[in-house]
Amino acid sequence: MVNAKKFITLSSSVYSVKSVVSNFLSRLMPAGICLLLALPAFSQQRAGGLPTPVIGYALPAGGRQGTRFEVTVGGANLTGATAALISGGGASAEVLKLFKPLNNAREKAIRELVQAEREKMKTEKRQPGTVREDDLLSQIARKAGISADELAAFRESVKQKRDPKHQLNPQLVERATLRVTLAPDALPGNREIRLLTPTGLSNPMTFQVGVLPEVLESEPNDSPELAAVAPVTLPVVINGRILPGDVDCFAFDARKGMDLTISVAARELIPYLADAVPGWFQANITLLDPKGHEVAFSDDFGYRPDPLLCVTIPADGHYTLRIRDSICRGREDFVYRISAGEIPCLTEQFPAGGQINTHVDVRVAGWNLPERKLPVDAGDTPGLRNIGLHAPAIGFVQFEAGRFPEFTEPAADAKPPTPFEPRFPCTINAVISKPGEHDVFSLHLPAGGEVVAEIRARRLGSPLDSMLRVTDAEGKLIASNDDHDDPSAGLETHHADSRAAFTPPHDGVYQFHVSDTQGKGSPAHAYRLTIAPPQPDFKVRIVPSCLNGRAGSMVPVTAQVLRLDGFSGEITLALKDAPPGFELVGGKVPAGTDSLRLTLKLPDEASRAPVALAIEARARVGSDEVVRQAVPAEDRMQAFFYRHLVPAAELLACVLPRPQGTKRSPATLAGVERFRAACAAGVAIPAGGSATLSLPGLGAIAANRPLKFALNAPPPGITLETQPNGNAVDFIFRADAAKTKPGPLGNLIVSVFTEFQPRAVDGKPAKPAQSVLAATLPPIPSKVK
């Protein structure tokens, strides 16, 4: 039995890891050595020893221009959230309240108090059943000093345990309630929402701004009869989520002849779930007529997991839309947005692109389209373009501007026949218009020079699953390809576009054969085939998209390099127009490497709000200096295994205050520079051997409290040992000859850990000591020799 006094003791005796690290650093300051703070303290994974916030969903996952509404954001480590950020203009959010479930000890204590009160009532010959449970809990809370938040958390826990369908997901148990305000002129489209807490800024989550009226589902609504109690009015955006075993129904009136578009955004909102198969919420929708008969059904649209229905209403009446998970799963992050009404919907276009500095008339098709032809300005730089549809239109295809002359395959029934003689180099626009169709294009190619033939279809929204074959004039196969992976297309799970590189063995005519590997075809199966010399280039992704750290510290960053058409040169990364105090350290990507670990040095003073940063990547490609903007991204796992680089809208740095009592002296600053210079000297490790790097100043710190050093995400085969050496620490790096080969490794990043010893509580034995991340050292350039 636990009395009120004991419960209060349990509530107030949580030993803070944050205070342990802060106090440890403060005790070092009188000695004038604060390398763990002045150099690299606290990585973005753990600021001050505490994990950074992670959000898993937002409900609703969007809203209408010119409205104010509440949003629930669920995740982990949201304690103390003070603000929410929404990318783009015209949107703001404030935190109204936070919810965190009770830990096991507190929940057990309250349960024992409840049981004790019931036993007391029996002793006093009062019937426990005569007192409502809520009233009983309120009485106990007043006596024991249980806070309102703890009481609410306990009540929710009781409710969840009574629900046999409830499945606890530790990553989603904390919640923040926000009040979101969208200005009348807020631009429609996808945004990103993040939470700001005392330990840093969270990952981004998709948040949509729309123009249609919006509603939030109200349970119970798992049958057409229940849905009829509160029908919705078209057009509308319906927000909801599917919990375990859940089915949601929505009723509406429709008239005969309405061309109705019903589009679901589910995977679009949360593209990857690490702990679910297939790795996202796989929604399906069914439209029922007034008698409950099925009118239409969809569980996808082409290759896209999110369903789409385009249906003509057969008769006036009261219809029901039903949504569920295709394999009857459900949990808090299975959120959705359904757009329903006579909404324009673009499902196909031709051509799928055009040459830069030209205007192209694009034929479009779909549902409720005001026009069948749209003029598109290709602009003056290669890339994707908006083809002219406006909100609330729904679009599934993209227009691409290319650098080479363009040729468009004429329609088979064109009259008079249109000449079609593409010349190298070029981009050919064509379509596999019917099942089983096979396109063949002939080009004259010179001998000896490498040629790259690449199809872009799936990446532009076409359902084509292409197969590309190249033959010579005699029909001999020269090259072929089915699927070619493009890591920069982070939202694609089936890389169905083809790419083949080859060297023509002789001067002459070569044929390029294009087909669909599944034998499918339709007017929507458009593609672009580019045939040209290699175009060496590169792209860079910066992971993660938010960097959290203490003022004056360094935080680790990963640069993923996507090399194109044989480019293998060195790349230099640098901040562009960054505020004072920010510095990118170790930004040289060695030639031939595809990944680099580096660090971002943060300013000496904390910032009131996260700071947007931009990173440029420069390299010499041939005789030209090429500059590319590095794209922030999140490294997301799908279905326990697959990994994807999902682009983010912004790269943000959150500069947190220093621990209390820590500040730097000129002597400390001088030590910092010597330490950084020692790290920058780098290390060359013999294959199968070892190399030693001595780092000054760490010995004195280690003498005050034991430190442990470990490599942060090291390359395969590289290990680290350390040993004291007076005022220094020797870092001994080893290279396994079986797992490494001579060449550059990029940077080695070393994490520093100290011990955290929990205190004994109420006479109970203390828990074993835990390692706490205290610092991240500057990058150490390395190679195997």
Side-chain angles (χ1 to χ4, degrees):
M1 187 179 300
V2 178
N3 59 29
K5 181 178 179 180
K6 184 174 181 181
F7 178 79
I8 295 171
T9 301
L10 288 171
S11 301
S12 60
S13 298
V14 179
Y15 199 60
S16 169
V17 176
K18 180 179 177 181
S19 65
V20 169
V21 178
S22 300
N23 292 338
F24 165 49
L25 292 174
S26 299
R27 286 197 297 271
L28 295 179
M29 289 310 300
I33 299 176
C34 193
L35 290 174
L36 289 185
L37 178 65
L39 275 169
F42 310 109
S43 77
Q44 80 273 14
Q45 287 83 11
R46 289 179 176 269
L50 295 179
T52 54
V54 177
I55 57 177
Y57 70 89
L59 178 69
R64 187 185 188 185
Q65 294 171 322
T67 61
R68 176 178 292 179
F69 51 96
E70 290 189 3
V71 172
T72 299
V73 175
N77 309 318
L78 308 184
T79 302
T82 56
L85 283 69
I86 301 177
S87 63
S92 62
E94 59 179 314
V95 178
L96 298 181
K97 59 182 178 180
L98 300 171
F99 171 84
K100 182 176 182 178
L102 296 173
N103 60 37
N104 290 336
R106 293 189 181 188
E107 183 172 335
K108 181 181 178 182
I110 297 179
R111 288 186 181 279
E112 291 180 355
L113 286 172
V114 172
Q115 184 60 33
E117 187 66 22
R118 291 190 181 280
E119 294 294 334
K120 181 180 178 182
M121 293 174 68
K122 288 181 181 180
T123 302
E124 297 174 353
K125 298 183 179 181
R126 290 183 293 160
Q127 291 299 321
T130 62
V131 180
R132 292 176 60 247
E133 185 167 337
D134 278 356
D135 294 338
L136 180 62
L137 285 173
S138 298
Q139 293 172 14
I140 294 172
R142 286 194 296 270
K143 293 179 182 178
I146 301 172
S147 70
D149 288 343
E150 291 173 336
L151 186 59
F154 181 77
R155 283 174 169 153
E156 177 157 327
S157 176
V158 172
K159 179 181 178 182
Q160 290 175 350
K161 285 180 169 59
R162 290 174 177 171
D163 181 0
K165 294 182 179 180
H166 181 78
Q167 299 174 359
L168 181 65
N169 187 330
Q171 298 175 342
L172 302 173
V173 295
E174 298 184 34
R175 299 192 299 272
T177 302
L178 314 178
R179 179 184 289 122
V180 173
T181 303
L182 300 178
D185 60 350
L187 290 178
N190 285 355
R191 309 289 188 93
E192 290 178 347
I193 189 168
R194 309 180 192 229
L195 283 184
L196 180 62
T197 77
T199 59
L201 192 63
S202 76
N203 59 297
M205 184 61 56
T206 298
F207 189 83
Q208 297 182 332
V209 176
V211 300
L212 296 176
E214 304 223 358
V215 298
L216 181 63
E217 70 157 320
S218 178
E219 295 282 3
N221 63 341
D222 57 356
S223 69
E225 293 75 20
L226 290 172
V229 175
V232 300
T233 302
L234 303 183
V236 68
V237 174
I238 303 170
N239 295 276
R241 70 173 161 194
I242 298 295
L243 293 173
D246 194 11
V247 175
D248 289 345
C249 296
F250 303 95
F252 60 88
D253 289 323
R255 65 184 184 278
K256 181 179 180 179
M258 285 182 68
D259 290 331
L260 195 62
T261 298
I262 304 174
S263 175
V264 176
R267 196 234 172 193
E268 180 183 350
L269 302 174
I270 305 177
Y272 298 112
L273 298 175
D275 55 347
V277 177
W280 51 75
F281 165 28
Q282 180 64 66
N284 67 40
I285 53 175
T286 305
L287 183 64
L288 305 175
D289 68 13
K291 296 182 179 180
H293 298 151
E294 181 179 305
V295 176
F297 170 85
S298 175
D299 64 355
D300 56 24
F301 174 60
Y303 67 92
R304 302 172 187 85
D306 285 344
L308 170 71
L309 280 179
C310 295
V311 59
T312 300
I313 298 298
D316 292 353
H318 203 62
Y319 288 77
T320 302
L321 177 66
R322 184 173 63 203
I323 181 170
R324 60 183 297 174
D325 180 69
S326 62
I327 50 178
C328 299
R329 302 167 302 165
R331 64 187 201 185
E332 287 86 346
D333 53 355
F334 278 31
V335 298
Y336 59 81
R337 283 168 61 80
I338 305 174
S339 300
E342 293 181 290
I343 304 170
C345 179
L346 176 64
T347 59
E348 60 187 72
Q349 66 182 28
F350 188 78
Q355 188 177 11
I356 57 174
N357 299 315
T358 65
H359 286 77
V360 182
D361 287 332
V362 178
R363 301 195 304 272
V364 296
W367 208 246
N368 297 315
L369 296 179
E371 301 176 65
R372 295 295 175 180
K373 184 178 291 187
L374 295 174
V376 179
D377 181 358
D380 57 4
T381 57
L384 300 178
R385 299 287 180 268
N386 187 327
I387 67 169
L389 287 179
H390 302 289
I394 299 168
F396 294 98
V397 291
Q398 299 183 82
F399 181 93
E400 181 183 55
R403 67 177 76 240
F404 300 109
E406 303 246 347
F407 297 86
T408 300
E409 179 187 39
D413 57 354
K415 295 179 180 179
T418 304
F420 183 66
E421 298 178 355
R423 296 178 298 278
F424 179 78
C426 67
T427 294
I428 298 170
N429 292 283
V431 60
I432 302 296
S433 60
K434 57 186 179 181
E437 187 170 283
H438 183 123
D439 287 348
V440 181
F441 308 103
S442 298
L443 267 77
H444 185 278
L445 301 176
E450 187 177 11
V451 174
V452 176
E454 181 172 12
I455 289 176
R456 293 183 67 85
R458 187 63 62 87
R459 287 169 289 181
L460 301 178
S462 168
L464 179 70
D465 183 357
S466 64
M467 167 62 77
L468 174 63
R469 297 170 60 249
V470 183
T471 61
D472 64 12
E474 284 72 40
K476 179 181 177 181
L477 182 66
I478 303 298
S480 67
N481 181 253
D482 179 4
D483 299 334
H484 175 76
D485 285 353
D486 179 1
S488 68
L491 297 178
E492 296 293 339
T493 55
H494 178 193
H495 293 260
D497 290 343
S498 307
R499 185 180 188 274
F502 64 97
T503 300
H506 50 77
D507 187 278
V509 174
Y510 291 81
Q511 293 184 327
F512 296 80
H513 306 253
V514 181
S515 60
D516 184 273
T517 59
Q518 303 176 47
K520 297 180 179 180
S522 74
H525 284 63
Y527 63 92
R528 289 167 58 76
L529 170 61
T530 297
I531 307 168
Q535 304 296 306
D537 206 342
F538 61 93
K539 301 176 183 178
V540 176
R541 299 290 186 262
I542 299 296
V543 179
S545 65
C546 183
L547 305 170
N548 298 313
R550 298 286 183 185
S553 70
M554 292 184 182
V555 294
V557 185
T558 299
Q560 299 286 0
V561 179
L562 314 176
R563 297 179 180 273
L564 308 175
D565 282 359
F567 172 74
S568 60
E570 181 182 89
I571 301 170
T572 300
L573 303 175
L575 293 171
K576 178 185 178 183
D577 301 327
F582 287 96
E583 178 187 357
L584 208 57
V585 183
K588 291 280 188 183
V589 183
T593 60
D594 298 329
S595 179
L596 179 72
R597 296 278 284 163
L598 63 158
T599 59
L600 175 71
K601 181 189 176 299
L602 302 180
D604 293 335
E605 299 296 331
S607 58
R608 294 185 177 181
V611 179
L613 300 175
I615 294 178
E616 282 188 339
R618 294 177 178 268
R620 179 68 60 178
V621 180
S623 59
D624 299 326
E625 183 182 47
V626 175
V627 181
R628 296 286 179 258
Q629 184 84 12
V631 176
E634 293 293 313
D635 185 355
R636 299 291 297 272
M637 178 183 286
Q638 172 208 352
F640 303 95
F641 182 76
Y642 305 100
R643 305 204 74 93
H644 307 269
L645 295 175
V646 179
E650 297 176 293
L651 177 63
L652 298 175
C654 186
V655 187
L656 304 171
R658 299 170 181 273
Q660 291 183 353
T662 57
K663 53 185 177 180
R664 295 199 276 177
S665 66
T668 301
L669 293 174
V672 167
E673 294 308 315
R674 288 195 299 271
F675 189 89
R676 288 183 59 177
C679 291
V683 62
I685 313 169
S690 65
T692 300
L693 180 66
S694 185
L695 296 181
L698 292 179
I701 299 176
N704 284 270
R705 191 181 186 100
L707 299 179
K708 295 181 181 179
F709 302 89
L711 287 172
N712 185 319
I718 303 299
T719 58
L720 170 66
E721 300 173 10
T722 61
Q723 62 183 28
N725 182 6
N727 189 44
V729 171
D730 287 344
F731 285 63
I732 304 167
F733 298 95
R734 301 186 185 278
D736 186 333
K739 298 179 180 179
T740 60
K741 59 182 180 180
L745 294 173
N747 296 319
L748 296 176
I749 304 292
V750 177
S751 297
V752 185
F753 297 86
T754 187
E755 279 195 349
F756 157 51
Q757 179 62 63
R759 297 191 306 195
V761 178
D762 285 344
K764 294 183 179 180
K767 294 181 180 180
Q770 304 171 15
S771 290
V772 176
L773 180 63
T776 301
L777 301 186
I780 301 171
S782 62
K783 64 180 180 180
V784 174
K785 63 179 182 179

